[in-house]
Amino acid sequence: MVKNKRVYFFGSGKAEGRGLAKDILGGKGQGLAEMSSIGLPVPAGFTITVDTCRDYYRLGRVFPTGLKEEVQTNLKRLEKTTGKTFGDAQNPLLVSVRSGAARSMPGMMETILNLGLNDVSVEGLAAKTKNPRFAYDAYRRFIQMYSTTAMGLSKEPMEELLTQTKKRLGVATDPEIPAESLKELCQEYKEYYRQNKGSPFPQDAMDQLWGAIQAVFGSWEADKAVTYRRVEKITDLTGTAVNVQEMVFGNTGDQSGTGVCFTRDPSTGKNEFFGECLINAQGEDVVAGIRTPLMLSDLGKPLPTAWKELQEVRLRLEKHYRDMQDMEFTVENGKLFMLQCRVGKRTPAAAFKMAVDMVNEKLITREEAVTRITPEDIERIFYPVIAETEEKLKEAFLGEAINAVPGAASGQIMLTAEAAETARKDGKKVILVRQETSPEDVGGMHAAQGILTATGGKTSHAAVVARGWGKCCIVGAEFLRLNFERLEMEVAGRVFKQGDWLTLDGSTGRIYAGELPLKAPILPQEYQTLMGWCDQIRQLRVRTNADSPADAVKAIEMGAEGIGLCRTEHMFFEGRERQLAIQTMIVADNEPDRRAALARLLPFQRADFEGIFTAMDGKPVTIRLIDPPLHEFTPKDEEGIAELAAVVGLDKEKVRQRVDQLHEANPMLGLRGCRLCITYPEILEMQVQAIIEAAVNVQGQGKTVFPEIMIPLTMAKKEFDILEARVRAVADPIIKAANGKLHYLVGTMIEIPRAALIADQLAERAEFFSFGTNDLTQMTMGLSRDDAGRFLPAYVDPKRAAIFDRDPFQVLDQEGVGQLVEMGIAKGRKTRPNIKVGICGEHGGELESVKFCCRLGMNYVSCSPFRVPIARLAAAQYVAVAKIKEAAKKSKPANKPAKPVVAKKAVTKPSRKPAKPVVVKKAVTKSSSKPAKSKVVKKTKSTPKPAKSKVVKKTKSARNPGRKKS
Amino acid sequence: MVKNKRVYFFGSGKAEGRGLAKDILGGKGQGLAEMSSIGLPVPAGFTITVDTCRDYYRLGRVFPTGLKEEVQTNLKRLEKTTGKTFGDAQNPLLVSVRSGAARSMPGMMETILNLGLNDVSVEGLAAKTKNPRFAYDAYRRFIQMYSTTAMGLSKEPMEELLTQTKKRLGVATDPEIPAESLKELCQEYKEYYRQNKGSPFPQDAMDQLWGAIQAVFGSWEADKAVTYRRVEKITDLTGTAVNVQEMVFGNTGDQSGTGVCFTRDPSTGKNEFFGECLINAQGEDVVAGIRTPLMLSDLGKPLPTAWKELQEVRLRLEKHYRDMQDMEFTVENGKLFMLQCRVGKRTPAAAFKMAVDMVNEKLITREEAVTRITPEDIERIFYPVIAETEEKLKEAFLGEAINAVPGAASGQIMLTAEAAETARKDGKKVILVRQETSPEDVGGMHAAQGILTATGGKTSHAAVVARGWGKCCIVGAEFLRLNFERLEMEVAGRVFKQGDWLTLDGSTGRIYAGELPLKAPILPQEYQTLMGWCDQIRQLRVRTNADSPADAVKAIEMGAEGIGLCRTEHMFFEGRERQLAIQTMIVADNEPDRRAALARLLPFQRADFEGIFTAMDGKPVTIRLIDPPLHEFTPKDEEGIAELAAVVGLDKEKVRQRVDQLHEANPMLGLRGCRLCITYPEILEMQVQAIIEAAVNVQGQGKTVFPEIMIPLTMAKKEFDILEARVRAVADPIIKAANGKLHYLVGTMIEIPRAALIADQLAERAEFFSFGTNDLTQMTMGLSRDDAGRFLPAYVDPKRAAIFDRDPFQVLDQEGVGQLVEMGIAKGRKTRPNIKVGICGEHGGELESVKFCCRLGMNYVSCSPFRVPIARLAAAQYVAVAKIKEAAKKSKPANKPAKPVVAKKAVTKPSRKPAKPVVVKKAVTKSSSKPAKSKVVKKTKSTPKPAKSKVVKKTKSARNPGRKKS
């Protein structure tokens, strides 16, 4: 690529831009160049680069110097290739102008067709095609498209003029309007344009072209496009390319047609040519739904040659791209033209099947197969879905809030955690509906099928806990009115009582009345195969965050290789007896009472650990000592206080006072984590006793146990040293008494910035580090997860403050928090080179964050069971991408030797003709008449077939350009 | 100093340890060595090094190898020097054994006198002195001292035996007990010892010596000593030295005596020889208060030669040490012996006077003078004091809590901020008493003379705000019972009503009933002189934190060179009108209403800024935009809500809802700081408008204005960029409209860890950094200042967890937080080499932290007005110490050329006689009898004269050893 070259020509089996990246040509431009250069039939044209768009904005919406000259040079070349002249009266060159960013991106200006028509050349087209009606219809459509799409005029008045014309003529459909009336309509349209824009409709084809180019660039910053990029988290694109291409027409008769197809079935992934087409039609007909498209396989009868060619194209493209392609084509008078090709979207099931099949077909390597899967593919393949018709869904729809955890769930509304637990025990399905949730609700949340809260965001307590379980959760449903006295919920003007049925779709955030049927997902065999490859490829270990034997079992199913975070405090919430014991400990004002209460908890914790160790036989289990501030365990209501008062034999008032005393201004930065164990060593002693006794017991049953005891919230070396010594002082005698040889580790969380800063000191005695990136993010950024909902959305919204690309609680802030992680690892390894390092925040199951962990050389990540496969994938992709790059480097010289040379040669040509552009422009304005016969083909929208449907209905991108035989 | 040399001899005008540091010899040992080597009359002896004590503990309370041999060698030498033999029956060498750390440190074992006496040598002493009573009294005292001080036996039974002896004899005082009875008492004492220790009282002088050495070492870890080190924040000492010295006696007759003196008056600082003495006495007599000491000047009459010698010693010592010395001496039969010298403690006023006088006398340089002042000197010189007798103080005493801000205050109790403000307006003096304070109380706090809270620590809201004003404040008075309904306070069983008088002594944390008279401090001229030298010496600028014109004026008086932190939000609390305006803004749910409310605040803010700019004419003023979470501004009670509801014309319930909505789980990490300005740009706009309009107006009045607008809580580059652009968008048009040439800066706080990590990015547009180390400490350490009170005390308590040496909110945590500060500066300067860097946390007025700021090359520190002089001092000391070191390096070779050589020579000698120790030991055990005549002199305690008293009453350290003429 030559520096500052802005326009790349393609056509006649060649393409200047061949081998250039999508970043330069855009996806569409790259596809056209590639298809051209491998000899597929592509109408000639040229692509204006993405960088040109970027520069256009950098200059303040001004075309960069030299662009006009390059466009004119390439237009001249296009005229030479097609034998037609742009703006000519007799033999006009008509073009389509289409946008095309590096990634498929709806919302931008799509297409302007038939550009080059004006009052004179329309006559030439009419004469050439011997079809004045076709010519004026094309002109009418061009004026309308250009006025609305490119110039921003309102569409409705133009539609109204069309309707009036039909009314005046007394006809029902557009095709019935005769040529003369269309000609009049063109006049009316132009008048409408003049009145609203203050200047006549441009008759100069060159002016039309520049207007269209400007419109494409402008659409890059259109609201719809910006919103789409935000939603899809697209941050690396800098603009869109513009593709100018000779028109071809699929609606010139029975030997013409148009269609969209996929090299494999995007729904099932089967290796079957799949698509649909229309004979004598343009894409718009499909969108309008006037005619039912044919199955692709039916193309063979009317257009046998084109069908044969298309099948060859399918094979060549898939072999060339080594991935399933989504293609658009037009047949003009029996001749096939390819208008677009790109990697096709697919369902999760299809993604797995194609990836595995292509490896079996030796089309791609296992490493490549691994990169073909996205985290969303994995997530979605697990979610249950609502099995209901659109109509019934519409009926039941109550509102839409934040889709915190995907999947669908039905159940009876319960407004308190207790009610949820009771209902669950009675065998009921429950939807827990709360204003917000707190750790006290965890039992009820666990009992529920799905969780709905009126407040909170994607990182609220409800969302985080539910995500850990892969449990359907919708949060921030501010339109809910909850009445906890009357146990009622009001929404959308309807009152629901506790016990009424509700269905949640956590994937969309939609809430439905009643019990809708759900479908469980069936995991395809290819999922297992591909995940197996991931495990072979990756170096990073993947553990899970699991707090119970059930979680542990689930996590192993999901491929976990150990537990990276077992939160012991969750065990205190399970059942009233445990709750009362921990609460008794908290309100005690002396050590003996605390020890007595802890002694009651000991058997519970030991039993829990026994269950977990048994489930994780042979795998390491990292157990974090008590972490949350004590007030999280205390009773919140009068009843709870009264019950506790009775248990501890204290005055209610006294108990309330003690509970109130635990209130903290900023509990996140208060008495929690290891500060509790420094203050109340007896808590640590009970927990370590439970862990080690459980380990010894399970070991005695022939299992292999690797406990790793983790100190949370460490901030100083001496703090850790004190607690490490206490842990060993409790653990070692138990092991000795059992004549055991239990090997256990003592390590620390790194979740306070200071801990990362002094990690070299901590590593002197800490045997492992686990980065708690949730808290580390909160403290490093001064950002409370529970409170950020009020301003963080604006911070990550590109239409608002746009301060961060992503929510730092979802994707690790590599730039800031990541520095501390990197520093912590480096310092830790400096002191103890073989220190085991992992991460156990929410980020441990997020693609980019896991890759970052790979880059930093961590030993493992730990995430919630349902995210384990994503972490496995991410870790494999990290290695796979490196291997693919390595392989590409080795094979590149042999692979495409001629390409760069061709591109370079082509580039040097325009610079030799600096004076030409002016000449071209003159030529354009002079040309006139020479009518051409052809019909207009409109666009269709293309997306992969949705999971539930068997037929691909529409395609989103432009389809059409017709081409004149000449 | 030779490696591993553990014992240093002194005597006969020489000292092996001359020139060695206190770290090695301890303070007392160093003084003895120094005095010996400059030819002053010092009884001979030797010093066991501090390192030996450290090694003793490292080895687990075991004497290091080689120590015994070295001690024996030196004992032999001492015998040779004195002509006496240790443990000898006829001519016994008696010694004192005294501890001596590098710094004066009460709480350790002080002294054992007359060591070397046993059943045989006591007879020798009796014969030699011809005074059996004296000899047996000395023996009796030795047994008692050794048994209790060295061997840990209880003192009371021995006192009881003494009392019974007197009862049996029918005498009233000890001196009346005859020799024979004392001899019997010695027997009883030894029996008591044997019964309680299980072995006879050691008769071997060598055993006695080792027992005493072990006792001195042991006392290093005694509770009292550990507590003292904690209280005084002494963390750099590793142990104590042991001094073994020949006894001299001041109580042998009228030609003997003992005393303590200062080379200058420690109370006033005047260059007058000051002290007290007793003829024919030992130190214990002073402590017992039986006899009134003479003024030092009265020594001339009874002991003219010794007095003349002492005056010479005074001059020589001050010239030698170039500082005021505190000396102890004994005159034995007309001959003067110096027993101790050390730098004397002094009152703050004396400290300033001496430092300035000594510069004028050319005794020291200005740099040295600057290092002679401590922050405490400065603090204390400013505080008012209670002018009342001890007796009356005792009567009025109610309780003692945490002394948050020193100084004394009297006033009428007010239990609410409103009452305080009203009372103040009525001309009353107020003591505001609250459970705890919040920003809403600031008006009342400001109105009060002193503040007393039932909760909180030294860094609670009350303490921090009060410290900013230098306002007397006592916090954490948990014994208070406040009843806000009945407006009563109960303490020490007494009920105080609102309006009753109370006096606080913030220096001691003591609370008194009633109105006690106070004395205002008078600043000596020398204070101004010395602070002027500080300003000449230092490079670091010192600014102040000031929020009002009054603060600004005060700060300039204190020497501030600008405002480093002007907290704009405090202005919102002053007066109900402002409060209602800000509250109206907060409850508004749309921008126009918010703007309307802000418009009402604008004139107030502008006027405040005008006052500040006027006061700071020519000095920079850094103004921080709104920082605290909005809920801090909202009404807290029903009345406030009702008033606000009326003002904004909303339902009370609605207002309460809006207020409740502002509740945050962790407000410190929530919607505050610049997040408010991102969310509500109109707040920033109003504030910047007020700042710039005020600046332009004040500039128009001929003043020079340098506003620096500071964005708080920045965590991301784009965040800063957005706000900087907004600031300039508001400011520049105002300046332009006024045809002004106002130069202003826009910079940022660095108070979130992430900001330090990405400081290079921030510096691209930020023109200055101000490290907010309060919040930076909170976030870096995950430590809420408001909540840490529950566990941080244990973290900094050396007797408990001892995790930190100091409270990180008082002294900057250089190891952790300091890393981020250093990183932030380095990164910021990498991008913008001349970026202005300062600090505006509480640490900006703390000695060590300011020196750290100097080391990092900051441009300025900013602290509360009352701490400005401390910061000036600290900054000057940083430079001064470096200059002094530099000068010492240059002059060292010329100054004391012989010392190191002498030390080295001395050291090499013992190694040539490896076999000797054994010989010495034998010699010691063989020796016996040879009585000596001498009396026992006991110790007195020495401290500088307190500010209020004119006479020095006691000295803490040992005074005494007598010396036998031989």
Side-chain angles (χ1 to χ4, degrees), chain B residues 12 470 518 738 966:
Chain B
S12 311
L518 303 182
S966 60

Side-chain angles (χ1 to χ4, degrees), chain B residues 652-668:
Chain B
K652 258 175 58 175
E653 195 44 44
K654 201 92 186 166
V655 170
R656 186 176 307 116
Q657 266 182 21
R658 183 80 181 100
V659 166
D660 287 350
Q661 276 174 6
L662 293 174
H663 169 78
E664 292 183 301
N666 291 284
M668 153 101 30

